[in-house]
């Protein structure tokens, strides 16, 4: 073996041996715990190496090397991707200068999606009132909850001025006798009329500033509902009802969130009501309006004669719907001048289970209104039409019984917990209200069927006759018994209306069937 010191001089070898001896002696005599300044850097280096060693050991378990590993970009959620894609599409359309020239991206004739999203949209629209009533009662008090109920009821009645009975007529306008531009012009006029009537009503009632602000916000929210309805009707007319359901669901959710946030922060029903209106406007501008232009064919030009004819054709529908909802809300208006506002909350809370019956039945038949019109238009399929009508009426009876069983067992305790009010004292009134809900669902369904038959003018006289009963029956009973009188009077008036409507429907059906038989006889004679 070659000695590495062999080529060095003697003095160099002696110097090297001396350094080794000194180092070994220093190590031998260094006290425990003593450190020299030259060791500090070595210790820090060793600590760093030991730390890196531990990190590598932990890295073998999959956790220690996160700091050294570059972070991957976070994948956006599906909702975020949808919103981002929609925003890009919207901005692109704005820069191009035309919304209606965009390429359609969503398919029509999707029955499953129609049912799902129409149910979601109607459900979201239907829960706005009960949810916000609960929130108002819990955060403020029963009296403020009653004020909110009254403002919401008034806004809902005014909504029928904005709708003008056009939606069912538009959805069943298979041959497009009126252009979409005609429907839009008609709706702008009716929405403006609705807001004007709303302001005048508040002035006549002499509401205080808080109630006036709440009503104005509520009326704007309902006005946007009415304006959006004609665009969602266009989507339904093009057999894209599921897109209309999405639009309705987003608008309702935005209104709920805006109201809840503002009332939680400000404890003011006026500010919260205005927030609802603002949220509704934003959802219409950012979603409903562009979605309709994106996904439906470009409309023909506006024709004033067609708009006038649309007003003429739908006026009986408007009168019938407005009269029906005036009849429907007459007990609430009768209570406002006699009973305190907390009774408004009790009445509307008791009506919530009944309202669910109406909503569920709407989920069943409203997506099929256009198909019902097609079935009735085919003389060979009239028998199927009658079977569908009977099946829906039987479903209403079964659903009303099911809701009654639910409320008799767990429903009333749940409602008491939600509102923070003991509703056990109103158990009997709850059963009466559920029966009224079933009657109202049948009335609403038969009205839609008569509209499909294009005999809506016949309904007007039925509603006018029932209005006479509603003007004295509920006020009279309210004067005697208060809230129980309002609930019982409501049931009596609705039963009168149902009997008259069934009689009218049977008369119309018999007349049309006789006309069909005469037509067939003439056709047979002509062939001979």
């Amino acid at each position: 073996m070659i000695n590495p010191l062999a080529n060095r001089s003697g003095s160099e070898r002696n110097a090297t041996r001396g350094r080794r001896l000194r180092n070994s002696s220093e190590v031998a005599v260094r006290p425990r715990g003593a450190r020299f300044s030259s060791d500090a850097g070595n210790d820090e280096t060793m600590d760093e190496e030991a730390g890196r060693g531990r990190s590598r050991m932990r890295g073998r378990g999959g956790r220690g090397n996160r700091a050294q590993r570059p972070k991957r970009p976070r994948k956006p959620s599906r909702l975020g991707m949808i919103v981002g894609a929609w925003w890009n599409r919207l901005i692109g359309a704005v820069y191009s200068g035309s919304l209606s020239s965009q390429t359609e991206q969503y398919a029509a004739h999707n029955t499953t999606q129609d049912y799902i999203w129409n149910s979601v949209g109607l459900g979201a629209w239907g829960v706005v009132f009960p949810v916000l009533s609960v929130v108002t009662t819990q955060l403020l008090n029963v009296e403020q909850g009653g004020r909110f109920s009254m403002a919401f009821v008034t806004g809902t009645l005014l909504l029928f001025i904005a709708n003008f009975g056009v939606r069912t007529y538009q959805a069943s306008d298979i041959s497009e006798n009126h252009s979409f531009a005609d429907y839009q012009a008609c709706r702008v006029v009716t929405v403006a009329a609705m807001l004007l009537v709303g302001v005048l009503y508040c002035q006549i009632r002499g509401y205080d500033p808080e109630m006036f602000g709440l009503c104005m916000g509520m009326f704007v929210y309902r006005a946007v509902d009415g304006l959006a309805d004609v665009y969602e009707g266009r989507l339904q007319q093009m057999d894209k009802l599921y897109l209309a359901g999405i639009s309705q669901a987003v608008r309702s959710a935005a209104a709920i969130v805006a109201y809840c946030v503002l009332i939680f922060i400000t404890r003011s029903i006026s500010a919260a009501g205005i927030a609802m209106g603002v949220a509704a406007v934003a959802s219409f501008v950012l979603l409903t309006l562009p979605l309709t232009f994106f996904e439906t064919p470009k409309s023909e030009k506006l024709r004033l004669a067609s708009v006038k004819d649309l007003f003429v054709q739908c006026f009986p529908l408007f009168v019938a719907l407005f009269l029906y909802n005036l009849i429907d809300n007459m007990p609430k208006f009768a209570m406002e001048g006699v009973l305190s506002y907390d009774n408004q909350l009790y009445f509307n809370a008791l009506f919530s289970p009944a309202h669910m019956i109406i909503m569920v039945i709407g989920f069943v038949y409203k997506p099929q209104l256009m198909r019902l019109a097609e079935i009735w238009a085919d003389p060979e399929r009239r028998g199927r039409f009658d079977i569908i009508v009977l099946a829906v009426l039987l479903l209403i009876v079964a659903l009303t019984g099911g809701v009654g069983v639910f409320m008799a067992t767990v429903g009333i305790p749940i409602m008491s917990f939600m509102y923070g009010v003991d509703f056990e004292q109103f158990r009997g009134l709850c059963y009466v209200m559920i029966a009224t809900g079933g009657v109202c669902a049948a009335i609403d369904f038969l009205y839609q069927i008569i509209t499909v038959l294009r005999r809506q003018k016949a309904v007007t006289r039925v509603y006018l006759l029932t209005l006479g009963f509603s003007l004295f029956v509920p006020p009279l009973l309210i004067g005697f018994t208060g809230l129980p009188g309002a609930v019982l009077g409501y049931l009596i008036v609705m039963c009168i209306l149902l009997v008259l409507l069934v009689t009218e429907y049977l008369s119309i059906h018999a007349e049309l069937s006789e006309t069909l038989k005469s037509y067939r006889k003439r056709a047979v004679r002509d062939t001979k």
Side-chain angles (χ1 to χ4, degrees):
M1 183 176 181
I2 300 176
N3 186 356
L5 301 177
N7 294 330
R8 296 184 182 181
S9 63
S11 60
E12 290 174 346
R13 289 193 296 271
N14 292 333
T16 301
R17 292 191 187 98
R19 283 195 297 271
R20 290 176 177 174
L21 289 172
R22 284 194 300 272
N23 290 338
S24 62
S25 63
E26 289 171 358
V27 173
V29 299
R30 182 180 297 169
R32 183 179 298 177
R35 299 182 59 180
F36 291 99
S37 60
S38 60
D39 292 333
N42 295 332
D43 290 345
E44 291 174 0
T45 302
M46 292 173 66
D47 290 340
E48 292 175 1
E49 291 177 354
R52 284 195 295 270
R54 287 191 296 268
S55 297
R56 284 192 294 271
M57 292 296 293
R58 287 194 302 267
R60 294 172 185 172
R63 295 181 300 175
N65 57 347
R66 289 179 182 173
Q68 286 74 27
R69 185 185 304 167
K71 293 183 177 180
R72 296 179 180 178
R74 187 175 181 180
K75 186 178 180 180
S77 64
R78 180 173 177 79
L79 178 60
M81 294 174 64
I82 293 174
V83 173
W86 173 255
W87 181 253
N88 291 335
R89 187 183 182 190
L90 184 60
I91 293 298
V94 171
Y95 276 112
S96 69
S98 175
L99 297 178
S100 58
S101 63
Q102 303 300 308
T103 303
E104 297 180 22
Q105 295 184 4
Y106 301 102
H109 315 296
N110 195 329
T111 305
T112 302
Q113 292 288 343
D114 285 347
Y115 267 110
I116 293 174
W117 283 108
N118 182 65
S119 299
V120 171
L122 287 175
W125 185 83
V127 302
V128 171
F129 177 59
V131 167
L132 297 187
S133 296
V134 170
V135 170
T136 305
T137 305
Q138 292 285 2
L139 292 181
L140 301 180
N141 53 53
V142 175
E143 193 268 342
Q144 294 295 318
R147 284 173 169 262
F148 170 82
S149 300
M150 196 64 236
F152 198 96
V153 166
T154 306
T156 301
L157 179 62
L158 294 176
L159 174 62
F160 290 92
I161 299 177
N163 288 342
F164 206 74
V166 172
R167 175 64 180 269
T168 304
Y169 187 91
Q170 178 188 11
S172 57
D173 186 9
I174 304 172
S175 58
E176 295 191 52
N177 296 321
H178 302 277
S179 70
F180 181 48
D182 300 336
Y183 285 108
Q184 291 180 82
C186 174
R187 188 55 55 93
V188 170
V189 173
T190 58
V191 167
M194 171 207 164
L195 291 173
L196 179 61
V197 172
V199 173
L200 292 176
Y201 175 81
C202 290
Q203 295 292 336
I204 293 172
R205 295 296 301 180
Y207 287 141
D208 57 53
E210 184 179 42
M211 189 66 178
F212 181 81
L214 172 63
C215 287
M216 288 299 101
M218 196 67 65
F219 296 167
V220 170
Y221 164 65
R222 282 312 198 188
V224 174
D225 255 351
L227 187 60
D229 179 75
V230 78
Y231 292 88
E232 292 161 358
R234 175 64 169 173
L235 291 168
Q236 183 180 6
Q237 189 182 27
M238 295 297 105
D239 211 2
K240 295 183 178 181
L241 181 61
Y242 66 99
L243 296 180
I246 293 172
S247 169
Q248 191 176 39
V250 171
R251 183 171 63 256
S252 301
I256 291 174
V257 171
Y259 184 91
C260 291
V261 170
L262 262 293
I263 199 171
F264 180 78
I265 295 174
T266 65
R267 293 297 195 273
S268 169
I269 56 175
S270 176
I274 294 172
M276 283 184 71
V278 173
V281 171
S283 70
F284 174 79
V285 172
L286 296 177
L287 178 62
T288 307
L289 177 68
L291 180 63
T292 304
F293 284 119
F294 287 165
E295 296 298 328
T296 59
K298 190 174 181 178
S299 172
E300 297 180 3
K301 292 184 178 180
L302 174 69
R303 293 181 295 118
L304 293 180
S306 180
V307 175
K308 180 182 177 181
D309 182 64
L310 190 60
F311 273 106
V312 172
Q313 292 294 328
C314 292
F315 181 74
L317 290 170
F318 158 67
V319 173
L321 280 173
F322 186 80
L323 287 176
Y324 168 69
N325 282 274
L326 183 60
I327 295 166
D328 185 62
N329 291 293
M330 189 59 70
K332 303 169 190 176
F333 289 108
M335 284 192 298
E336 188 180 21
V338 178
L339 306 178
S340 59
Y341 274 112
D342 55 348
N343 288 278
Q344 295 286 345
L345 177 71
Y346 300 146
F347 186 96
N348 287 288
L350 291 170
F351 185 71
S352 295
H355 183 63
M356 295 303 297
I357 299 172
I358 301 172
M359 284 179 53
V360 171
I361 296 301
F363 295 160
V364 173
Y365 75 84
K366 286 187 177 180
Q368 300 301 319
L369 282 176
M370 189 174 69
R371 290 176 176 83
L372 283 172
E374 294 173 350
I375 292 172
W376 179 258
D378 184 359
E380 301 298 328
R381 303 165 70 186
R382 293 284 176 86
R384 183 181 176 186
F385 184 89
D386 296 335
I387 292 174
I388 293 173
V389 172
L390 181 61
V392 173
L393 292 175
L394 291 176
L395 179 61
I396 291 173
V397 174
L399 183 61
T400 303
V403 173
V405 171
F406 175 79
M407 294 304 297
T409 53
V410 298
I412 291 179
I414 291 175
M415 189 162 29
S416 300
F417 172 77
M418 290 173 57
Y419 284 91
V421 177
D422 182 17
F423 278 94
E424 188 64 36
Q425 57 183 322
F426 304 125
R427 179 175 287 273
L429 295 180
C430 182
Y431 299 150
V432 174
M433 195 67 87
I434 291 170
T436 308
V439 172
C440 291
I443 291 171
D444 185 60
F445 173 65
L446 288 176
Y447 165 76
Q448 301 290 347
I449 293 300
I450 292 174
T451 303
V452 169
L453 301 180
R454 290 294 187 259
R455 300 297 294 270
Q456 55 271 14
K457 293 181 180 180
V459 180
T460 305
R461 60 175 176 266
V462 171
Y463 286 149
L464 283 172
L465 183 60
T466 310
L467 179 63
F469 287 99
S470 69
L471 288 175
F472 74 86
V473 173
L476 184 64
L477 294 178
I478 290 171
F480 279 115
T481 61
L483 180 62
V487 176
L488 186 59
Y490 186 35
L491 176 61
I492 293 173
V493 171
M494 289 296 111
C495 286
I496 293 172
L497 177 57
L498 178 61
V499 170
L500 293 175
L501 203 59
V502 168
T503 304
E504 191 66 35
Y505 169 72
L506 293 176
S507 174
I508 293 171
H509 190 279
E511 179 184 344
L512 293 175
S513 298
E514 189 63 30
T515 303
L516 179 62
K517 289 179 181 179
S518 301
Y519 173 80
R520 286 177 174 176
K521 289 180 180 179
R522 287 196 303 268
V524 170
R525 286 197 301 266
D526 292 341
T527 56
K528 291 180 179 180

